[in-house]
Amino acid sequence: MASAHSTLPDGRTYTPSIEGMPIRSVAPSSAARWLTAAILLMALVYFLFPVYWVIVASSKDTGQLASTNGYWFADQIKYLENYAALMAWTKGNFWRWVLNSLLYSTVAGVVGTLISVMAGYAMAKFNFPGKNLAMGVIMAGLLMPIALLTIPMYLVFHNLGLTNTMLAIIIPSCVSPFGVFLGRVYAQSSVPTELIEAARIDGASEARIFFTMVLRLLAPAMVTIFLFIFVATWNNFLLPLMMVSSDTLKPVTLGLYGMMTYFAPEKGAVMLGALLGVIPLIVLFLGLQKYWQSGLAAGSVKG
């Protein structure tokens, strides 16, 4: 085993830091570490408590929600009864709504990610007239509330005859100014200009450079952008409310809203629907955790 102390050329000794830990001169104090741990623990409770509450609430019927402890399970678990009530009220359409949400979010995420990285790559690596103006418009799009665009989009899609179709939800969801911004940041930090120039000298076309080289370099960043668009589309409520009226085309958010507007709704069934409707998002985040974390790190440095 190596010695815990090392000797410098001038005869002085020092103690190396533990792997993964900062050296002693810049390491935080014990109080700072405990304070950081306490803050992170509170953040963990803050984000996980709503999930726990939904799990508890979905195990009760409407009467139990009002008469029992809201933070713990009742004596009689009502998951099966609430599931039966959920299927009965939705006429068996609940899982169709979940599949609709998966379809809308996946297609919008894939297409929107490709558009975002293409636009971001062009903004980062090409010089063209109006580049700064285009970037300014994109940044302005980040500041504009999506609710302001819903009615104009409805009028456009209504005149095109696309209302009450899947395209009325998918097409607007593919446009993501935030995704373009992230794509530009990632392309600046992760795609070497020298590599692109070498490929051009070898005779590769711009399309070949992008699809065979750039996309591979931006893969972790693409996962991050995909998740942003996927979650935004999944949680979108106002756009489907305006565009879709058919029960078979509703996403799960709009379908559950219909249950709450019903007179004397089965609140336990609604809570169970909310729990089942969020499970795909949890699975997606856990499955892609390694990639989106590396994607965030790739966009945090520039070099």
Side-chain angles (χ1 to χ4, degrees), residues 14-29 33:
Y14 75 99
T15 302
S17 63
I18 302 175
E19 183 178 357
M21 297 292 291
I23 60 177
R24 182 176 298 178
S25 61
V26 297
S29 63
R33 290 197 299 269

Side-chain angles (χ1 to χ4, degrees), residues 265-279:
E266 292 287 344
K267 296 180 180 179
V270 176
M271 291 296 102
L272 182 61
L275 176 62
L276 296 176
V278 80
I279 288 177

Side-chain angles (χ1 to χ4, degrees), residues 81-104:
E81 291 83 350
N82 287 338
Y83 183 78
L86 178 65
M87 293 297 105
W89 192 94
T90 62
K91 300 178 182 179
N93 283 327
F94 174 77
W95 290 113
R96 185 183 183 92
W97 295 343
V98 174
L99 290 177
N100 287 342
S101 292
L102 282 173
L103 176 63
Y104 298 148

Side-chain angles (χ1 to χ4, degrees), residues 188-199:
Q188 286 177 331
S189 61
S190 302
V191 181
T193 304
E194 296 80 5
L195 183 64
I196 300 173
E197 293 175 349

